[in-house]
Amino acid sequence: MDDSGLTAVSALTDGVRRAAYREVISAGGVPVGRDEVAAALGVGRTLAAHHLDKLVDAGLLEVTYARRTGRSGPGAGRPAKLYRVAAAEHEVSVPPRAYRTAAELLAEAVERTGADVALFDAARAHGRAAPSAASAASAASAAEVLAAHGYLPHEEDGRIELRNCPFHRLAGQFPPLICGMNLAIVEGLLEGHGLDAAWEARMDAAPGRCCVTLSNSKNKSD
């Protein structure tokens, strides 16, 4: 068993530390400082820094330094210590399993046989059949639906960016296939929750986030 995965997961057992990690990951790759995390969590700066550094030790975050005032040269002050999500992925399976290898082999087989249309159809049906994210009191919003499936949506000005790709590693190996599958899943999720009239999903790849974005249909121009 790979102990690095166990170490990383174990670091998230503390509730405050887990919340600190969520705060950093929700920034979508933009480095954040201890002051921002402390304010978001309602804890002291020293405690926030302690948990952030523990996440660095576990390989979940990495450190970068930058001056946040925009000034440089003498008198500009020391660069601030900032945190962002580490690129490495961690997983734990007891007993050991090789689901990622199976996914890679299946993706390669689909590419070789040209079965991408069948995959996209299955992905859309999967999204439509996904469990409802609605509460007993109200229907779920698009952001709530996507958050329930691990996309870390960020909504602003009638647009939703997805700051996490659940299929990140596979998408890097098989971009057209997996990104197309991902788009079909998101479209299915919108359809299954009755949100497809209000939101349109499209391919919009950019570094540091999912290849799919959503736009509010009310904001579209003819």
Side-chain angles (χ1 to χ4, degrees), residues 70-106:
R71 297 167 56 194
S72 60
R78 295 172 57 187
K81 185 177 184 179
L82 306 174
Y83 302 83
R84 63 187 176 199
V85 176
E89 296 181 8
H90 303 277
E91 61 182 1
V92 176
S93 177
V94 182
R97 297 289 186 255
Y99 299 118
R100 178 176 292 166
T101 300
E104 291 170 350
L105 291 170
L106 288 168

Side-chain angles (χ1 to χ4, degrees), residues 60-148:
L60 292 168
L61 300 182
E62 59 187 26
V63 172
T64 183
Y65 293 88
R67 289 188 173 90
R68 312 196 81 179
T69 61
R71 297 167 56 194
S72 60
R78 295 172 57 187
K81 185 177 184 179
L82 306 174
Y83 302 83
R84 63 187 176 199
V85 176
E89 296 181 8
H90 303 277
E91 61 182 1
V92 176
S93 177
V94 182
R97 297 289 186 255
Y99 299 118
R100 178 176 292 166
T101 300
E104 291 170 350
L105 291 170
L106 288 168
E108 186 173 349
V110 170
E111 278 200 338
R112 288 186 180 184
T113 58
D116 50 338
V117 173
L119 173 63
F120 300 159
D121 287 344
R124 190 170 289 103
H126 173 81
R128 283 196 296 265
S132 174
S135 67
S138 61
S141 68
E144 289 170 335
V145 170
L146 295 162

Side-chain angles (χ1 to χ4, degrees), residues 136-199:
S138 61
S141 68
E144 289 170 335
V145 170
L146 295 162
H149 292 272
Y151 284 101
L152 293 180
H154 175 74
E155 183 175 352
E156 186 174 357
D157 297 330
R159 172 184 165 89
I160 297 178
E161 289 187 355
L162 308 177
R163 293 184 167 178
N164 182 56
C165 173
F167 315 106
H168 176 70
R169 179 168 293 188
L170 274 180
Q173 294 175 265
F174 309 93
L177 182 70
I178 301 303
C179 290
M181 180 195 76
N182 190 28
L183 175 61
I185 290 175
V186 172
E187 289 173 339
L189 287 170
L190 295 176
E191 293 170 14
H193 287 80
L195 296 164
D196 51 312
W199 292 92

